[in-house]
Amino acid sequence: MFVKHGVNSGFSSLASSAVLRRQQFLIRSLGGHSVSDITHQKKRMEAVKCSSGGADAECVLRAITPSLDPKRHKGQAGKIAVIGGCREYTGAPYFAAISALKIGADLSHVFCTQGAATVIKSYSPELIVHPILEESYSISDVDDEGRRQILKKILSEFDKWMERFDCLVIGPGLGRDPFLLECVSKIMTHARESNVPMVVDGDGLFLVTNCIELVSGYRLAVLTPNVNEYKRLVQKVLGGDVDDQNTHGELLSLSKQIGGVTILRKGKSDLISDGEIVQSVSIYGSPRRCGGQGDILSGSVAVFLSWARQHISATERESTISRTNPTVLGCIAGSALLRKAAALAFEHKKRSTLTTDIIEHLGQSLEAICPAS
């Protein structure tokens, strides 16, 4: 369910019958009230600020996931590009890009440095890898004019592909090299000018926190901070420390201050806000906190965001879901699916669960909610 300034703003009609039965059982156990009392109690529970369980998230997943139609052609189920990957970090961009494919995107690209490209290519032949980015060490003997020309060439090469993409994922394995960050900031500016949605994670958030203008006011941008990244964003934008006693209000304020950018605050429950509503996804995932799960999330959100936009365009806002911000829908779906896949992987692998195990359960988890046939 959605929360708008602390008040339920939709999806109440999607409440799970299973949840209602549990509520009725609890009420009967506490004193056996009448049907009218039960109905009144249900309305009261729907009227208060609440977190989304599996039912609402699954409704979103079912609504926005496209059917597998033989009439569709390659590319219609999504074309995703990950911008990241340098000498030190090659796993993160792979996790984000391959997760997008495992969920159902048709094509997944990675734009990285030359030092990362061969390694990423070796992980999977399914990914289209573009070694066009540069780090400072590789151009250390180039003067300022030469650097400007290199930057111009990089942007020119990326712009050839820009209009093909349904969403960008900015930051997995990006690193913090100054010239590389300058390249990516220019790519983000071009993407914004072309109205291409973007999901910003990892070192992309480091870049955004230090240059908030890159996303400020851009409602097709999603930020996915973890606890430390969120802390830095709050300090930068709101000028104070994180207020754990006012999590919903603070997240609303943060999103509003950045101009309606959607923020997915990762945690025990994932909190999502676009400055107008707050949604919490609290489906149980896994106690195993291996690195790389945020990369799965960013790739997943990118796919579901693009599917949500297609769904809204096709239905012309005829339903409650289709009247919801597609960035919020993408976050709900991505968060829910990751948690379900992580739970399933942990059930099999326990303490030895790795990010690759979770990725292998993405398809099975989605199939359980949205059968292909």
Side-chain angles (χ1 to χ4, degrees):
M1 296 181 185
F2 287 106
V3 177
K4 187 171 183 179
H5 303 290
V7 179
N8 180 17
S9 65
F11 278 176
S12 59
S13 62
L14 302 175
S16 166
S17 59
V19 173
L20 178 56
R21 287 196 298 271
R22 289 195 294 271
Q23 293 170 2
Q24 292 171 339
F25 173 77
L26 177 60
I27 291 169
R28 289 195 301 271
S29 299
L30 293 174
H33 297 289
S34 66
V35 174
S36 61
D37 290 333
I38 292 171
T39 303
H40 177 67
Q41 179 71 6
K42 178 191 172 189
K43 289 180 179 179
R44 286 183 58 201
M45 294 183 74
E46 288 176 347
V48 299
K49 180 170 67 176
C50 55
S51 63
S52 173
D56 288 348
E58 289 184 12
C59 285
V60 172
L61 280 162
R62 291 190 188 98
I64 68 177
T65 300
S67 60
L68 293 178
D69 187 341
K71 296 179 181 178
R72 293 168 68 91
H73 58 74
K74 181 176 69 177
Q76 284 187 301
K79 302 177 290 296
I80 307 301
V82 177
I83 316 299
C86 59
R87 283 189 304 174
E88 290 84 359
Y89 306 115
T90 58
Y94 165 75
F95 290 149
I98 202 68
S99 294
L101 286 180
K102 289 285 188 177
I103 289 169
D106 286 338
L107 295 168
S108 193
H109 298 245
V110 177
F111 290 80
C112 60
T113 66
Q114 293 186 18
T118 302
V119 179
I120 296 172
K121 286 180 179 181
S122 73
Y123 294 151
S124 174
E126 305 289 347
L127 305 179
I128 303 169
V129 182
H130 308 261
I132 68 169
L133 303 180
E134 295 283 359
E135 295 181 79
S136 298
Y137 80 90
S138 64
I139 56 170
S140 57
D141 58 346
V142 178
D143 60 18
D144 289 344
E145 178 58 29
R147 288 179 176 235
R148 283 192 289 271
Q149 291 302 315
I150 291 172
L151 179 57
K152 183 178 179 180
K153 182 179 178 181
I154 291 171
L155 291 174
S156 176
E157 183 63 28
F158 186 80
D159 284 347
K160 294 177 184 177
W161 295 89
M162 179 83 77
E163 65 180 18
R164 307 185 191 193
F165 300 132
D166 297 300
C167 190
L168 307 182
V169 181
I170 309 286
L174 183 61
R176 299 184 179 182
D177 177 80
F179 186 76
L180 183 53
L181 291 179
E182 183 181 359
C183 292
V184 174
S185 68
K186 298 295 185 183
I187 287 174
M188 291 177 69
T189 299
H190 282 218
R192 180 171 179 169
E193 291 170 351
S194 299
N195 288 317
V196 178
M198 63 180 79
V199 179
V200 185
D201 187 43
D203 287 319
L205 290 168
F206 172 80
L207 174 61
V208 164
T209 301
N210 288 284
C211 188
I212 207 73
E213 295 78 14
L214 286 171
V215 296
S216 183
Y218 188 49
R219 294 185 64 83
L220 290 176
V222 175
L223 310 182
T224 60
N226 60 25
V227 60
N228 291 319
E229 293 159 345
Y230 182 77
K231 178 181 178 180
R232 288 191 287 268
L233 268 174
V234 169
Q235 290 173 338
K236 175 73 173 185
V237 177
L238 300 181
D241 293 326
V242 174
D243 182 2
D244 290 326
Q245 304 303 313
N246 183 30
T247 54
H248 287 70
E250 180 181 72
L251 186 59
L252 276 169
S253 297
L254 181 60
S255 178
K256 285 180 180 177
Q257 284 292 104
I258 312 178
V261 168
T262 296
I263 301 173
L264 191 166
R265 179 187 178 183
K266 295 179 285 193
K268 184 177 180 180
S269 293
D270 290 341
L271 297 180
I272 302 157
S273 180
D274 61 354
E276 297 181 5
I277 60 174
V278 173
Q279 171 74 1
S280 173
V281 179
S282 54
I283 298 169
Y284 184 74
S286 165
R288 177 78 166 101
R289 302 308 306 154
C290 53
Q293 293 182 62
D295 304 310
I296 299 177
L297 180 64
S298 62
S300 302
V301 170
V303 176
F304 285 120
L305 193 167
S306 66
W307 287 353
R309 296 186 79 203
Q310 290 180 9
H311 170 77
I312 291 171
S313 176
T315 58
E316 297 182 348
R317 301 183 179 274
E318 293 174 354
S319 66
T320 300
I321 287 180
S322 63
R323 291 193 297 271
T324 304
N325 188 338
T327 57
V328 172
L329 293 175
C331 288
I332 295 169
S335 172
L337 185 65
L338 169 60
R339 286 167 174 267
K340 286 180 175 293
L344 194 57
F346 183 77
E347 182 181 331
H348 289 84
K349 296 297 185 74
K350 303 299 182 182
R351 290 184 183 272
S352 66
T353 303
L354 299 176
T355 299
T356 48
D357 299 317
I358 299 173
I359 290 172
E360 288 307 309
H361 285 88
L362 288 171
Q364 182 181 351
S365 300
L366 185 58
E367 179 68 15
I369 301 168
C370 308
S373 58

